[in-house]
Amino acid sequence: MSAPTLVTVDDIRSAAERLRGSILRTPLIPAAWADPARPLWIKPESLQVIGAFKVRGALNAISRIDPAARRRGVVAYSSGNHAQAVAYAAARFGIEAHIVMPEETPEIKVVRTRSHGARVVLCEAGQREAVAARLVAETGATLVPPFDHPDIIAGQGTIGLEIAEDLPDVATVLVPVSGGGLASGIGTAIRALCPHAEIFGVEPELAADTAAGLRRGSPVRMSIQERNRTIADGLRSEPSELTFAHLQHVLTDVLTVSEDEIRSAVAELAVRARLVSEPSGAVGLAAYRRHATPAGPTVVVLSGGNIEPALLADIVGASAAVGVDQGH
Amino acid sequence: MSAPTLVTVDDIRSAAERLRGSILRTPLIPAAWADPARPLWIKPESLQVIGAFKVRGALNAISRIDPAARRRGVVAYSSGNHAQAVAYAAARFGIEAHIVMPEETPEIKVVRTRSHGARVVLCEAGQREAVAARLVAETGATLVPPFDHPDIIAGQGTIGLEIAEDLPDVATVLVPVSGGGLASGIGTAIRALCPHAEIFGVEPELAADTAAGLRRGSPVRMSIQERNRTIADGLRSEPSELTFAHLQHVLTDVLTVSEDEIRSAVAELAVRARLVSEPSGAVGLAAYRRHATPAGPTVVVLSGGNIEPALLADIVGASAAVGVDQGH
């Protein structure tokens, strides 16, 4: 098996040109209440139009499909945010989107995917890829994978370009890892532009396959049932050969966080940063709180904000009861 | 009584130069789920370091005090966000801040004001200005008023400059009105740079003194007890002679919203825009929902995000129960 070709910072620069004007160029939000030795900024990808970074990769990938093929539409499988991203991007291109989602997907993500005009096909956990392949065969549409594609990685990597532009002396970047497209792209950009920065992936302890895999030097597989235990429903995928190769190349290490730490970080983001985060989006801040990350300017990537309102109310209400606000 | 001299767009441009690098240049967040005839953007001043726009005026005003006088410190009275803004700005200048706050101020705002190193003096509602005047006499510090000063108005007006830069064809701007510094400044900038735009102030029905005053052509006074009925604790002040003159000059009209509409807008911002807003910060969106504002690109200024966590949990939880997410 030959080593996969890695995405370059020039691929990411080209993606940034393609995305200009179609995405929100998110600012770095200073977190003045954080540790002064590790001054903290939050990159709020939750403010993208579909509430998550995934719109970057989806728009880049669809813009790269040959126009004749693109007219036949696109197919995607996703636990949520990639689904909305492909649905939104397809609508912008005026093409049909078929979105395969596992049955346990939060209702809010199904509703919003349909709201962009996409056709949603629900399936059993673990069957998504097979169902998507069948739809591709039936319709002639093009599969837009959630992370296993250079154009997806390059699109997500534009976040890293923006971090390097806005904070060139960044010392530490903390990025959620699931399928690994986000961390592969950001890591590639930061490695090229800020060579002295450390880049940490972050995973829930309950879905820490990449932490174990990088330590061993080859992917470690966890069952779907195991990975589904975490509240971070966006972090239940595992890297592909392509993203694993990127992660090996660009990450300093992978840090893990507990379920309680994820909940606390969701509360802290709402109360201190006035940003709504889904559990998956908050793992970077959770890692900053738990681990003694290196001194110096630190960026946490808040990857998405699509949380069920009842869960947000529950987490923020519980934090009010224990006074999270006065803890830092 | 001669007419007061009004702040100009050049004053606002000078303020923007002074603030460059010291504040967050907030982006316009597209609200894709809004009315297509009135495409909507949110200006999230809640993301400023103290969670509200007030840091703009406070930094501008303190930077304009003569350095010898500035070393004796500053005094401010405020129901909350201006307090934190002056405390933060004073700390940046390395000077002392005495902050006078009414006893009913939400605890979260008192705690955060103290966290910047300021001395907080609690007083009865309606006594703030007198207590502040006594502190000025005792200490030789300079009063930084919450809105009744050209440097404050010019500082807040930098928001208008940014809106005009980012969305030059804006048709409608919706801005909360209380003391009127924010609406005076933004209105001045937008009138100068986007002469065809309509600029609406927004008030709670329960504190609609400015709506009544502009209709009559002179300020209408409401009792503190009346104004204190609204949940929007940042909108309980009334304009000064200086800000009233600006509002007469720059506003198209003042729209009012109910308490229920304010709560719904707080929920909508959290769930759809992934932004935490305090009730006062959400009145612009409430007005967009309630009133048939003009067609065309619309900006709502989300003025602040300092809400008690228990209240946020209550509002978002109630919206989850009735399914606000599927309403639009």
Side-chain angles (χ1 to χ4, degrees), chain A residues 244-267:
Chain A
F244 192 83
H246 281 82
L247 298 177
Q248 281 188 303
H249 192 65
V250 298
L251 292 189
T252 302
D253 199 357
V254 175
L255 306 174
T256 62
V257 293
S258 73
E259 300 294 294
D260 279 352
E261 288 163 346
I262 295 171
R263 285 176 176 264
S264 292
V266 169

Side-chain angles (χ1 to χ4, degrees), chain A residues 4 9 54 73 84 89 99 122 130 150 157-158 164 172 190 230 253 261 283 309 313:
Chain A
V9 69
K54 292 275 190 181
Q84 291 172 69
I99 311 291
L122 294 174
T158 57
T172 309
I190 297 288
T230 178
D253 199 357
E261 288 163 346
V283 298

Side-chain angles (χ1 to χ4, degrees), chain B residues 39-74:
Chain B
L40 181 65
W41 284 262
I42 298 164
K43 182 77 169 165
E45 288 296 304
S46 49
L47 302 182
Q48 295 294 349
V49 67
I50 59 109
F53 72 95
K54 293 275 189 181
V55 69
R56 295 177 185 254
L59 279 167
N60 189 50
I62 294 179
S63 74
R64 296 262 289 161
I65 301 171
D66 176 78
R70 191 163 59 207
R71 278 193 287 278
R72 291 194 294 274
V74 288

Side-chain angles (χ1 to χ4, degrees), chain B residues 226-301:
Chain B
E226 279 183 288
R227 287 183 269 131
N228 278 359
R229 292 171 305 168
T230 178
I231 191 176
D233 57 279
L235 302 183
R236 294 170 180 167
S237 296
E238 50 189 13
S240 65
E241 185 194 340
L242 179 66
T243 54
F244 192 83
H246 281 82
L247 298 177
Q248 282 189 302
H249 193 65
V250 299
L251 292 189
T252 303
D253 199 357
V254 175
L255 306 175
T256 62
V257 293
S258 74
E259 300 293 296
D260 278 352
E261 288 163 347
I262 295 171
R263 285 176 174 264
S264 291
V266 169
E268 185 178 345
L269 285 164
V271 174
R272 301 310 311 261
R274 297 98 186 173
L275 289 166
V276 172
S277 177
E278 56 189 270
S280 306
V283 298
L285 181 60
Y288 173 87
R289 287 286 169 218
R290 173 176 179 163
H291 298 276
T293 55
T298 301
V299 171
V300 156
V301 177

Side-chain angles (χ1 to χ4, degrees), chain B residues 12 53 147 153 156-157 159 173-191 199-202 210 243 246-247 249-251 253-254 301:
Chain B
I12 298 172
F53 72 95
F147 51 84
I153 294 170
Q156 324 302 28
I159 297 167
V173 181
L174 297 164
V175 188
V177 171
S178 180
L182 179 67
S184 294
I186 292 177
T188 299
I190 297 288
R191 274 274 167 272
I199 306 152
F200 294 94
V202 184
T210 302
T243 54
H246 281 82
L247 298 177
H249 193 65
V250 299
L251 292 189
D253 199 357
V254 175
V301 177

